[in-house]
Amino acid sequence: MRKYSFTLNNEPVVVKAPPAYTLLEVLRNVLNLTGTKDGCGKGECGACTVLINGKAVNACLMIMEQVEGSDVTTIEGLATDPLGSVVVRAFEKEGAIQCGYCTPGMIVSSTAFLSRNSKPNIEETKEFLRGNLCRCTGYSKIVKAVIEASRG
Amino acid sequence: MESVQIQQASKKDFDVVGKKVVRAGAVLAVLGKPSYTADIATGDLVYVKAVRSSCVHATIESIDTSRAKLLPGVLAILTSKDIPGVNDAGSILSDRPLLAEKVVRHYGEAVAIVVAETHQAAEEAAMLMDIAYTPLPSVTNPNDALKPDAPLVQERSNLVKHMKIRKGDVERGFSQSDLVVENTFKTEFVDGLPLETEAAYSYLEPSGRIACVCSMQNPFDVYGKVVKILGFEKAKLRMIQATTGGGFGPKSDETPIDVAAYACLATLKTGKPALAQFTRDEAMIIQCKRHPFIIKNRTGVTNDGRLLAWQSELIADTGAYVSKGHLVLGRAVFHCTGPYEVPNVKADGYCVLTNNTIAGSTRGFGSPQVHFAAEVQMDLIAERLEMDPVVFRAKNILRPGTRTLTNQRIEDPGLDMCFRKAVALSDWYHKRKQYEQHNKGTSRLKKGIGIALLYHGNTLGPESGDFATVHIAITPDGKALVETGLTDFGTGGMTSLLMVAAEVLGLPYEDVRMSRPDTGRVSDSGPTVASRVTVIGGRATFEAAEIIKNRLSRVAAERLACSESSLIFRAGNVYSNDKPERRITFRDLVVEAADRNVELKSVGYYLAPTTNWDEETGQGSPYNQYTFGAVVADVEVDTETGFIRVGQLTPVYDAGKVINPLGLLAVCEGGSIMGTGYGIMEKIVTSEGVIMNPNLHTYWIPTILDCPEIINSSTVESAGQIGIFGAKSIGEIPIVLPAAAIANAISWATGVKIREIPMTPDKILAAIMNVK
Ligand code: FES
Ligand code: FES
């Protein structure tokens, strides 16, 4: 077991985890923050997207050494964040959800995107979300939701 | 038992049904609290991991657990000998053991399970298992498997089922034809690939009962099997559906049985809560796939474009165990001519065992494969006749009074309506001219437009057992609780049921809720497959709601001093149609009814009429009603790279009376993309039975960049014969046509002939080179 300190959803945390644990494993299995999903564990689906220092990354690819000292925001933290909650509302309004398994990752990615690009067009939105897979919706409502969220 | 009458769709105004109901709180529900199986799993968990065969076909000589057992954290290792009940995880036929006994028949078949304190320990121990195999001859090509000297996959013939259609005299039909066109089509194994992999979590309840929470479509199927595997009496197990991250067929098939049984066996052995979840690669290896088909279509037509004869031979590779293969074959054969009237038809379908990955239920269930082959065949014929594909189809489509290949009379004009609307919305004739001009002026980026049509027999039909049960309870606050073992996994089916209940009871949609499907609370509701929730489940919901409404009507009529027949239930109020000032709120009425001890719980049951057809000739009426559809695809082909860009899809479906328009649109959009992936991207690559691409970087599903720019979905409404308020199935159907429509568009744009999917750039490029 090793100790890791970082900031999680604006609170400092110290966790003990076996070495080589990924951030996804720590979030889900150690901290019981289950909003972040595991769709592949290999950086291929985006279901585990979290923000590290404001950047969208796949939590399943981050081993804890890399997380040490950084600022992590998960879907749990984003749902109450001003921009995050706008995105959540837009997903609701557009019905950009079916089974919901991709949704936390989509919302985290979309929020990261909108925090850097407040007036995105469809192409830019698609380009940013290319790593987030959704098997249910066919994506068009997700694109609409992001554009809708950018309008406030 | 109170009897109920279904009202005719067209004659009634609806308050809730057919309106746009937003699933309020849907996003927050998923974000707010743990709801998927692995999220819920808590306590002093143990983890279960299957030990899987590295061989395609082999005898198990010995299983040595000694090294694995020594690993710290390992609690138990179970093989087939340790199964207390029956070693049977086959969903319909009992041909597949949960854990292999003497022989493994496909790559990745489970031989043992390891139970450990951590996930890591379970995985490591699985790798330390020493299993000695002696390879057996294997067969991975279905044509080879049908040869007399082929190795046997199971202790039975490799031919699982031969299905036949014999209508008219096909040889005479060919001899009267001016043109006979023959083509062979091929489709591949693909993975339905729900984003959440199979998962089950089990724990002991204080009563000693095991509760199992599982990601699945059919709680009662899984329950029925796991109870037997555990050797339990029925009351000792309870199966609950967790929020389920996608279904698409695999979660209605056998892998949910596997994970549920793994977890329950671990709980039984250790007394501890247990979690069994597939990794992504494990899911992609084990999850049942869409059947690959080899389809030979031979079609005779007259010079003026009338279909006279159609002969099909279909070979479906079902892998090492049958799963639902025989039923998939049935649906394929019953639709193999596409939605056209052909007087003479002969079809022979074969479902074949091989040592490949198991193929089973996957969204569309045999229909996408045969529609691809039939609809491309139609365009290849039209080209030979030098006829516009729309004009050619119009001469042959199933209209009221025409007969299908099984000689079933079609009653409604849904196909014609879809066809016309799709042609108009896509601006077909204008685009054909415009693109022809465009293509003359360019050598690289060619534009094409193609069409495909479908019919899809509704619900289970020949697959039998087409019933549903729905419970409704009115709570003291005047709201309704709908409970059933039918499930939702992102399909919106449950929303439709709530809408039906709200409609009948005259409640606002918000006042109707649903509980989690739980075999401990409801009676067997039938499986959630074959796009049947709205159509069949809607009928059962209607019945349950009517029973309660009738009971409440007696109380209301007395209280308002009016006749029961004059009562209107609407927007949370009950009033007399004759004297609308006589009214009572639904809530007050419920309080009053409760005071009088009126039972405010009901069970609605609906069983669809049995369908009949002749085994020898396939003639009869295999389905109670048909959904119709048309899809037009606009594509651009880069003739230098072979890359396809699907610019627009125009899907038009006749889903009968639309109950839940937003849900329907969502399913159409999602299915259109999945169907596009099926057409141009997806393929499980196997080499001698070993899956080479069980991951998302070499098995490509559509990303957000692969979507058509425009999906212009719409519906027409031609009432179905049995569905609730005239509804027809839709859930699976949008996957069916994109592949064929895209193939036809590519062929028209470039002159290449496409007979195989997926139409990946390398194949398109090679075909273009060939044409040149
Ligand atoms: S779980 Fe991390 S990318 Fe799929
Ligand atoms: S909503 Fe199911 S994967 Fe996106």
Side-chain angles (χ1 to χ4, degrees):
Chain A
M1 288 287 184
R2 294 189 48 178
K3 258 193 195 170
Y4 302 97
S5 328
F6 57 101
T7 308
L8 177 62
N9 299 329
N10 294 324
E11 305 274 340
V13 288
V14 180
V15 293
K16 275 203 241 152
Y21 244 47
T22 64
L23 175 59
L24 179 61
E25 287 169 304
V26 165
L27 290 171
R28 291 188 56 90
N29 304 345
V30 181
L31 297 166
N32 283 325
L33 285 179
T34 54
T36 307
K37 302 296 180 227
D38 181 353
C40 69
K42 285 188 182 158
E44 295 166 358
C45 75
C48 65
T49 309
V50 297
L51 301 184
I52 298 191
N53 303 329
K55 244 186 109 202
V57 297
N58 291 328
C60 69
L61 291 183
M62 300 297 289
I63 52 169
M64 287 309 292
E65 265 79 21
Q66 298 168 288
V67 178
E68 179 74 37
S70 52
D71 186 0
V72 178
T73 310
T74 67
I75 186 67
E76 286 86 354
L78 266 194
T80 52
D81 160 275
L83 181 57
S85 51
V86 169
V87 177
V88 170
R89 273 203 303 278
F91 269 64
E92 286 263 336
K93 186 169 161 225
E94 294 298 331
I97 177 169
Q98 285 186 33
C99 82
Y101 203 74
C102 69
T103 310
M106 283 287 181
I107 288 175
V108 173
S109 287
S110 303
T111 310
F113 172 57
L114 290 171
S115 69
R116 231 155 307 147
N117 184 346
S118 56
K119 296 271 165 294
N121 62 31
I122 290 175
E123 272 62 50
E124 292 161 345
T125 306
K126 286 186 170 181
E127 191 54 45
F128 195 89
L129 293 178
R130 65 189 299 174
N132 288 81
L133 297 180
C134 173
R135 192 56 155 168
C136 303
T137 63
Y139 303 103
S140 52
K141 290 196 158 69
I142 292 172
V143 176
K144 276 194 201 133
V146 176
I147 302 290
E148 161 84 22
S150 74
R151 304 200 173 116
Chain B
M1 184 131 225
E2 284 118 312
S3 75
V4 287
Q5 280 290 312
I6 291 291
Q7 290 147 11
Q8 261 310 303
S10 43
K11 301 201 184 86
K12 190 174 185 295
D13 285 336
F14 292 99
D15 291 321
V16 183
V17 159
K19 303 287 185 290
K20 295 190 172 166
V21 167
V22 178
R23 284 203 292 155
V27 176
L28 284 176
V30 168
L31 304 184
K33 58 175 195 312
S35 52
Y36 301 89
T37 303
D39 304 352
I40 299 169
T42 47
D44 185 15
L45 276 182
V46 300
Y47 296 82
V48 196
K49 181 82 199 160
V51 184
R52 299 190 175 280
S53 158
S54 52
C55 298
V56 167
H57 195 197
T59 323
I60 303 170
E61 298 301 341
S62 63
I63 303 176
D64 180 355
T65 60
S66 52
R67 286 200 303 150
K69 259 190 190 145
L70 287 178
L71 197 79
V74 172
L75 301 173
I77 296 174
L78 307 180
T79 66
S80 62
K81 294 195 191 75
D82 305 302
I83 292 174
V86 193
N87 185 16
D88 165 24
S91 54
I92 295 182
L93 310 178
S94 293
D95 70 335
R96 192 179 68 96
L98 179 71
L99 298 173
E101 284 171 16
K102 294 191 188 78
V103 179
V104 288
R105 299 184 173 87
H106 67 93
Y107 175 68
E109 181 162 5
V111 177
I113 53 173
V114 177
V115 185
E117 279 164 0
T118 64
H119 184 66
Q120 282 74 8
E123 289 213 319
E124 272 173 52
M127 287 192 292
L128 292 177
M129 293 277 290
D130 297 305
I131 304 172
Y133 298 103
T134 305
L136 292 167
S138 62
V139 58
T140 53
N141 175 322
N143 278 318
D144 294 344
L146 286 173
K147 290 180 184 156
D149 56 347
L152 290 186
V153 177
Q154 300 186 11
E155 280 104 54
R156 56 173 291 172
S157 159
N158 291 338
L159 175 60
V160 175
K161 183 147 181 103
H162 175 193
M163 286 265 312
K164 290 181 257 184
I165 302 283
R166 301 287 182 264
K167 179 189 182 191
D169 178 346
V170 79
E171 287 311 326
R172 206 175 61 216
F174 284 124
S175 67
Q176 291 167 350
S177 299
D178 298 316
L179 172 71
V180 175
V181 175
E182 186 173 331
N183 287 289
T184 301
F185 300 90
K186 241 183 110 202
T187 72
E188 299 287 345
F189 282 112
V190 306
D191 189 350
L193 217 136
L195 200 60
E196 180 202 26
T197 59
E198 284 81 347
Y201 158 56
S202 62
Y203 55 93
L204 266 180
E205 294 184 330
S207 67
R209 179 168 72 169
I210 291 183
C212 181
V213 179
C214 187
S215 173
M216 62 186 158
Q217 294 177 221
N218 302 330
F220 279 95
D221 285 4
V222 176
Y223 170 73
K225 281 287 167 179
V226 175
V227 142
K228 287 191 191 140
I229 290 167
L230 297 175
F232 273 12
E233 36 182 291
K234 289 212 151 183
K236 281 192 70 186
L237 180 72
R238 164 184 173 215
M239 197 61 66
I240 304 143
Q241 187 223 15
T243 304
T244 292
F248 311 122
K251 296 236 185 107
S252 75
D253 218 290
E254 299 181 357
T255 37
I257 299 171
D258 292 1
V259 284
Y262 298 167
C264 291
L265 284 169
T267 295
L268 187 64
K269 182 85 188 170
T270 63
K272 291 188 177 184
L275 176 66
Q277 179 160 28
F278 281 178
T279 55
R280 172 59 61 198
D281 56 335
E282 197 176 14
M284 292 183 74
I285 292 168
I286 304 306
Q287 208 157 65
C288 72
K289 311 297 184 301
R290 185 183 299 293
H291 286 80
F293 271 72
I294 303 164
I295 301 174
K296 253 185 227 153
N297 281 338
R298 181 164 182 249
T299 310
V301 279
T302 60
N303 277 331
D304 63 352
R306 293 287 312 181
L307 292 169
L308 287 188
W310 191 298
Q311 183 168 4
S312 289
E313 182 193 89
L314 309 95
I315 297 177
D317 181 351
T318 203
Y321 295 101
V322 178
S323 171
K324 309 264 167 47
H326 55 309
L327 302 178
V328 169
L329 177 77
R331 183 171 283 275
V333 169
F334 283 138
H335 293 83
C336 71
T337 58
Y340 304 103
E341 186 173 55
V342 191
N344 305 292
V345 182
K346 178 170 187 234
D348 291 276
Y350 306 93
C351 173
V352 184
L353 289 167
T354 65
N355 294 107
N356 281 322
T357 180
I358 301 170
S361 324
T362 307
R363 188 181 193 180
F365 213 75
S367 178
Q369 294 94 322
V370 292
H371 276 93
F372 167 72
E375 284 300 271
V376 173
Q377 175 83 349
M378 288 297 281
D379 263 43
L380 292 170
I381 301 167
E383 193 192 337
R384 295 277 299 276
L385 292 171
E386 293 178 11
M387 210 177 262
D388 184 284
V390 165
V391 175
F392 174 47
R393 282 178 173 78
K395 292 174 188 271
N396 295 290
I397 60 166
L398 292 172
R399 294 191 168 84
T402 58
R403 288 179 181 272
T404 68
L405 76 168
T406 69
N407 212 29
Q408 179 169 4
R409 210 182 114 98
I410 290 297
E411 305 294 343
D412 67 274
L415 182 59
D416 203 13
M417 291 162 76
C418 292
F419 185 33
R420 283 168 197 272
K421 193 166 181 187
V423 169
L425 281 178
S426 65
D427 205 5
W428 174 268
Y429 291 107
H430 175 230
K431 287 257 181 76
R432 290 281 273 205
K433 284 212 190 81
Q434 195 190 334
Y435 291 174
E436 210 172 336
Q437 272 326 104
H438 167 95
N439 291 347
K440 278 188 191 137
T442 171
S443 55
R444 182 166 178 181
L445 295 179
K446 303 275 189 192
K447 288 181 181 222
I449 180 167
I451 192 165
L453 308 182
L454 68 72
Y455 70 146
H456 192 92
N458 275 194
T459 68
L460 288 168
E463 292 138 37
S464 87
D466 211 354
F467 73 96
T469 312
V470 172
H471 301 237
I472 296 182
I474 306 296
T475 46
D477 57 358
K479 299 186 177 178
L481 176 67
V482 178
E483 297 193 279
T484 175
L486 297 170
T487 58
D488 203 321
F489 27 93
T491 51
M494 290 302 119
T495 308
S496 302
L497 299 193
L498 294 182
M499 291 171 83
V500 170
E503 185 70 49
V504 174
L505 295 169
L507 287 173
Y509 178 75
E510 302 71 49
D511 285 359
V512 184
R513 301 178 291 124
M514 192 116 215
S515 68
R516 284 243 68 84
D518 179 347
T519 61
R521 292 178 61 96
V522 295
S523 36
D524 189 357
S525 320
T528 303
V529 296
S531 314
R532 47 178 233 115
V533 169
T534 302
V535 172
I536 306 293
R539 291 286 298 259
T541 308
F542 181 92
E543 170 145 353
E546 277 282 322
I547 291 170
I548 287 182
K549 183 180 170 183
N550 289 341
R551 290 186 194 145
L552 287 172
S553 290
R554 262 168 251 145
V555 180
E558 237 176 77
R559 163 76 190 260
L560 302 176
C562 65
S563 68
E564 278 178 48
S565 60
S566 75
L567 286 171
I568 306 277
F569 284 62
R570 194 162 203 176
N573 289 297
V574 181
Y575 56 90
S576 159
N577 202 16
D578 314 327
K579 304 183 185 75
E581 67 287 357
R582 296 198 179 169
R583 62 172 58 218
I584 181 168
T585 65
F586 187 84
R587 194 175 160 165
D588 289 344
L589 178 58
V590 165
V591 172
E592 181 143 353
D595 285 345
R596 298 192 197 183
N597 286 325
V598 173
E599 169 84 348
L600 292 177
K601 279 188 190 155
S602 66
V603 185
Y605 176 81
Y606 176 72
L607 174 65
T610 312
T611 60
N612 292 300
W613 77 101
D614 182 78
E615 280 277 346
E616 276 310 301
T617 63
Q619 299 300 282
S621 300
Y623 301 99
N624 281 304
Q625 62 178 28
Y626 289 88
T627 297
F628 298 103
V631 171
V632 175
D634 275 56
V635 306
E636 193 176 78
V637 186
D638 185 332
T639 55
E640 278 171 26
T641 62
F643 190 79
I644 311 297
R645 203 179 54 87
V646 181
Q648 178 169 338
L649 288 177
T650 308
V652 182
Y653 295 105
D654 163 30
K657 171 67 193 169
V658 176
I659 307 294
N660 172 12
L662 286 182
L664 186 132
L665 183 67
V667 159
C668 277
E669 285 183 352
S672 299
I673 302 303
M674 197 183 240
T676 301
Y678 183 52
I680 67 177
M681 305 171 77
E682 298 184 31
K683 175 181 178 175
I684 288 283
V685 181
T686 60
S687 167
E688 302 296 321
V690 177
I691 295 185
M692 306 306 283
N693 59 343
N695 55 64
L696 293 162
H697 70 272
T698 53
Y699 179 89
W700 295 329
I701 64 169
T703 71
I704 202 164
L705 292 176
D706 298 306
C707 293
E709 271 116 77
I710 305 168
I711 301 178
N712 189 10
S713 310
S714 65
T715 54
V716 301
E717 293 194 0
S718 164
Q721 287 73 35
I722 60 159
I724 181 70
F725 302 128
K728 294 178 177 177
S729 296
I730 190 68
E732 297 171 275
I733 292 153
I735 165 92
V736 173
L737 286 183
I742 292 168
N744 289 340
I746 296 172
S747 290
W748 183 74
T750 61
V752 306
K753 307 267 176 290
I754 290 166
R755 301 184 187 88
E756 291 179 16
I757 45 173
M759 300 166 266
T760 45
D762 54 315
K763 276 202 229 149
I764 297 292
L765 204 54
I768 289 172
M769 294 303 172
N770 249 334
V771 173
K772 280 181 183 163

